[in-house]
Every structure is written in structure tokens, then in C-alpha cells.
Amino acid sequence: MKRCKNLLFIALLTMFGSLLQKSQIKIEVNKVEAADYYDTITDNATGSYLRAQLYDLMMKTHKTYTSYDGLKSAYKTTDVDPNNPANVLLCYTGTSRTYNNMANNINREHVWPNSKGVGKSGPGSDAHHLRPCDLSLNSSRGNLDFDEVSNGRYASENGITTQNKVGSNAFEPQDSAKGNIARIIFYVGMHYGPESSYNLTIVDTIGNGKGKSIGKLSTLLKWNLEHPVGMDERRRNEAAQVIQGNRNPFIDHPEFACKIWGDYNENTRLACAQGGQTPDNPQNPKETIEADAKDIKNVYNKLFNEPIKEMTQIKINGTYGSKITWESSNPSLLNINNQTGTVTLNPKDKNEHVTLTATLTYQEETMQVVFEVTIKHNLTIPSSFKILKENDGSGEVKQETYEYMFTQRQNSGTLQLGSILWEHTRENETAYTGYDGNKGYQMGSSNNPGGGSFITSDLKDYKIKTIEITAAVASQGKTDLEVLIDHQSLGVKQPDVNPQVYLFENQLEVKGDVTIAFKVTAKASYIKNIRIEYESGVKDEEEKTYASISLKNPSMRFGISLSKDSIANTLKLEKNAIDYTQIQLKVMAVENEILTQYGYESMLELNASSYQQLIKQSPLLNYMNSQNEYNVSLVLYSIDMYEEYNAICYFEYENNVYYSNEITTSYYEMAELNYERYLSLKQDMVQNGNYQNEYEEELNLLSSILN
């Protein structure tokens, strides 16, 4: 999804740029990269699907992980006062105060509290998250959740009462900070949420103590809508991108918050539905309603441009204050609750069309906006679907080894260590670094301990087997050595004084960026050698199990084999809870490339020609090979020798469609095995004189297929 250009925003950026120039502050951003940053986000994605896409985007673009101590220097650009470059703007109040290396009672405020699963690395050292804050105000807030406080006390900043309020279980920032705070919480809850090892969650309650949850979700959604993105936020977003590589999506796209969390409960649905606001400069009723009509067209024209299969919420209040009521031409397919904006969608077995009419009302003015909507039918293809050729195999498997020995002191930054490029960030940029001939590269010292991290993306596409680190610590030193792949820990070791090899095994076969982290709490730590064993020349193993085929043979017969285990895994049911006689297998063919655009109308069910009557009588051939195996097959015959068909295999159970990644497509081989098995059973029974033609029907059919 490409971010729309906003002329007003560009004008504001231009004006802000002149202020920066006057203040001699230099912020460089790759504008092309920023403009195309959201290209991978699906236009109508919502819920956990959208959150997962944004999480993947963070993992790809968050290149540099700042340290907690390094935030001090980051604030010089992320939170600088554009009118006074010697000052920073403080969290919650926007007060401008002299920076002076974080003196003047300024500290680093965890907007998502340190005690709620954050710590001082990862989310606890993220430049998009932590803000400079007045020490007394930080203390007043503590680790309280966010909510609107009715009975509480006013907080103080440096001894001066502010508009921030403190309750027994919640903290309410003043209005100018509410939207900013909400969008920071949304960023942390997405980047370090359920998809990550931190598992931070946003909930719709307060008083959540010291767990990994923060609230209150419905209030934060309300603040996000009521208090638009300000210029300070946009500046922070640009500056933090320069430092880390990633952006805060909720600053660029505040609407993402309701798309992800808006359907959490009735409170969040109401907050998102009633999130309109009156403009700062009131317009006359006609201008207001025209502005709202233009806004709602921009919001929904793009969404309704393609068939929709998921929609949970729709606007009932205009951005500029209009009331919106919706009418559906077919409420049985798409119904809207005009009190809450909740959408009920009932897709049928084929694409259906609905006319949606939005009636906007503001004072005495009324206007209608009409949308033509296509409801996508129930047959859906998983997002991971790929069309494969029948005989696509993996490349030659090669066992590769990467090894590098440290022979000198290393600076922070991008390092070419042997054949691999690493990013090296020290935990404390002021700490001592050096080199010891016996122990290797040294990080930290007795007076100033400090570790660091080495991160590489060069091996993210390979299957890493083991990682061996030769490490040590100084006498009485203490270091936690942790290896992570795609931010998932392979374990933590505590090196000894003498250099030793510490083995980390990738038992879960995780793929992604490799991180080697030294978390030093005493004295110095050393790294002498890195050794990584991995496999190269291997395609993604999942490619070999997707249920899709390519057929090009004038006499090809094709079938599908499913084991009981694979059916149970796909249905997520116990085997004894499944009625296997109800499994209906289907094969769909596609005449052109429309499948990649999810155009199901062009899909054809392949029928056998000369075996058509037989298939009508017995479309499924059931071969009970053993107690744990259940094979079913469908015959395809007389495929045009001049055409190549892409096909997808699926099965139906209790009127639902499933795509199993464990479907095998070796029908011919299956037919051979079953022919031999039935022939053997027949021969044994003939020898014993008790054969009553029990297997003739199966043998005749299998023989005709094989011949």
C-alpha cells in the first residue's frame, strides 16, 4: 500500500524544514524509501493479519537496535526543540528544556513501563518508544496504565502543577500528549507483541500491575482519533527512522489502530465508530459535509475497489463532524449497525454484489455517497499459496561452515568479518574496547563494563544448524551470552574466565537475522571466534508440500492422497473425532493467471471423460492401507496435450473448505502400490480357495489407470 501524498503535510514539512535550517539541525531521510515504506501492506488487511504484516515490516526495516544508554544521543535529533536546538521537548507536556547530556532532572521515560515486560533492551531501548521526561513527572506516572482520570490529583513537572492527572490505577496525560502517547503504545504493542518473544499485549482494563499488559485500549483508540498527529510526532518519526531504519506506522497511518484493535470488544468498537472530531477552524455546514464526503470516498473507494472478504467496522461519524448512516441493498449479505458501526458480513458460495449508501448529515445539510461492493465468496486461498510445477525439487544440499576469528579491536558499525557483513553495536558507547591475544576482542573494563551485539542478515535465508561462540570474561566478570535467530533465543550461556566454545543449536529450525549478544553486568567480556554451520542450496521445504500441481500430459490421471494424520492436523481435531467417510476431495484447475489475483470464477473442476459415469457412481476410491492411513483419490483423464493446467487440491468436510499442506500428489505411484496390494490379497485368497471376486472392481479400475 503506497502512502497517499498529502499536500498539506508536504507544505508543513517544507515550513518545518526552514525552521530546521535556521536551527542548524540536520535530519536526512530517504524520502523514496519512506514513500514506498508500506508497499507490502495489503490494502484491506485488518486484525491480527494486519498486525502480523506490520510486524514483518518492522523485522525487515528495523536494522539498528539502539542501546538504552545510546538513547541520550538519539534525543538530540528525535526530541530536539526546532526553535532552540540546545533544548529537547519533554514527554507528556512538550516543555522545552536544556538538554545538557540529560541533566536538569531529565530522564528516559518508558511510555510502556519498564516493569511491564519491557526492560532496557528491545522495546526498552527503542527510539520510537522512550521519551525524555521530567524526573518528577516520570515518578508521578510510575507504571500506571493510561485512562481518563475522574478522581485523582494533578501531577507536577519540576515542582510546577501540570494538566496531567494521576489516579489510583491510571494516568491521564494532558490533551496535547494523548494522541502521541496512544500511537507510541500501539507501536510497542505491534512491534513487540504476540508475534515476538516479548509478547506484550494491550488490554481494555486498568490496574494491570507488573505483567506484560497495559491499558486502557478503548481509551487509547479514542485518544488516537480525537488528537491527530502533530508536527513533533512527524519529526520524531523521521529522525528515529534515520537512526533505526523503521518507522512508527501509527503516525503515518493512524487508522491502522482501529483496523487492528477496533473489534476487541464493544467499547473499542464504539470508540472507533465515534471517533470523528470537529475541525480546529469550523467551516460552514456545506463545506463541512463536502469535506466529510470527500474523506469518506478516500477511505472506502480504495477498500471497495477489490472484492472484500473481511470487514468488521465502518465509520458512523465523519472526520469533520458529520453523522453517517449506512444502508445496504442486501442486509443478509452485509449488514451495518448504525449505532456502533459494526459490520456483519455473510459471504456466500459465489461472489455477490451489494450497494452501500452512506448518508451524511451535518446541521441542515445532507449528502449521499454510494459504493458498489463485491462480497468475496467462501472459497478462499491461503495467503501462503503458491503455484508449483509438478517435479520442482530442491537443489543439492550442501553443508556450509562460516568461521571468523577476532584478531583485533573492532569499532561499532558495519563490519566485514570474513565473508559475512555484521552490524556491531556496543551496549555502552563510552566503554573501553580492546584486544587480548588469548581471549580475543574485549568489550568493557573493570570500571566501565559494557557488552554489545553482532547482527547479520546474510544468513537469514539458510537453514542454520549450530552456532559456536568462543568467549570468556575477565576475572570475577559476569556476562550473559545469548544467541538469537529472528529474535528467538537459542539459549543463554555464562562464559568462564578461560576461553571456551559455547554451542547453540537451532532445534526449532528458525530462519532470520542472527544476533550474538553480550549482556555484561561486571568487568569485561571477550569474543574470540564465531563458527556457524548451515545448509545451502536448499529451497524452502514448505514449497514441496503446497497442494498445487502442474499437469501437461494427454493421458495423465491424477489423484490425491491424504493420511488420517494430515486430515486431523488440518482440521485441528483428534482422529477419532472425524467421520472420514465425509471427506470430499476436489481438484480445481485454472485456465490463466487470474488465480494469483484470486479470481475464482475462472477456476474449473476437472472431470474425467471416459470414466465420467464411473466417477458419478463412485467419485472417491477409498484405500484403507493401514490403521493410520486413509487414502482417497480422484481420476482426471484426457487432459489436452497442448495445454498446461495449474491446479489446486483441496477437500471439504462438514460444508467447509480446507487446504492441506500435507496433501501428496503422487497418484500414479499410489495406484501402483494399491494395485500390487489388491493383487497380492487376491492371490492369497485364490490359493486358499476362498476368493469371491471381492477386489475385481478395484483391480479393473487401477489396471485401466496404469495402462
Side-chain angles (χ1 to χ4, degrees), residues 29-42:
V29 179
N30 185 333
K31 295 298 180 184
V32 175
E33 180 183 342
D36 296 336
Y37 188 76
Y38 300 97
D39 277 354
T40 60
I41 306 301
T42 305

Side-chain angles (χ1 to χ4, degrees), residues 315-446:
K315 292 181 71 169
I316 61 172
N317 283 293
T319 303
Y320 301 101
S322 298
K323 173 68 177 176
I324 307 171
T325 55
W326 294 86
E327 182 180 357
S328 168
S329 64
N330 191 341
S332 66
L333 283 173
L334 192 159
N335 188 49
I336 299 168
N337 183 329
N338 278 304
Q339 299 299 314
T340 63
T342 304
V343 177
T344 304
L345 201 62
N346 298 301
K348 302 300 181 182
D349 292 331
K350 62 178 182 178
N351 285 355
E352 300 280 356
H353 303 283
V354 175
T355 299
L356 273 187
T357 303
T359 302
L360 291 80
T361 306
Y362 185 73
Q363 297 183 14
E364 72 276 10
E365 292 290 332
T366 300
M367 183 177 288
Q368 287 189 335
V369 180
V370 179
F371 300 95
E372 296 299 327
V373 184
T374 300
I375 312 297
K376 209 166 191 179
H377 62 76
N378 277 325
L379 182 59
T380 58
I381 296 178
S383 59
S384 58
F385 172 76
K386 299 176 184 178
I387 297 177
L388 306 178
K389 298 301 181 182
E390 181 183 13
N391 294 319
D392 268 1
S394 63
E396 182 183 355
V397 178
K398 294 181 180 178
Q399 297 292 335
E400 301 279 356
T401 300
Y402 162 77
E403 189 161 6
Y404 180 80
M405 178 177 290
F406 289 84
T407 58
Q408 61 184 6
R409 175 183 177 274
Q410 302 292 340
N411 293 317
S412 296
T414 303
L415 305 176
Q416 183 73 42
L417 304 182
S419 60
I420 290 182
L421 204 63
W422 295 83
E423 291 294 329
H424 175 37
T425 302
R426 282 183 284 150
E427 179 183 315
N428 180 351
E429 292 299 328
T430 63
Y432 172 79
T433 62
Y435 175 73
D436 181 285
N438 294 321
K439 296 181 178 180
Y441 168 48
Q442 177 180 343
M443 293 168 281
S445 62
S446 298

Side-chain angles (χ1 to χ4, degrees), residues 286-301:
K286 184 176 180 181
E287 289 176 331
T288 296
I289 203 165
E290 286 176 349
D292 267 334
K294 183 178 180 180
D295 176 74
I296 201 170
K297 285 178 183 178
N298 289 337
V299 171
Y300 292 110
N301 271 342

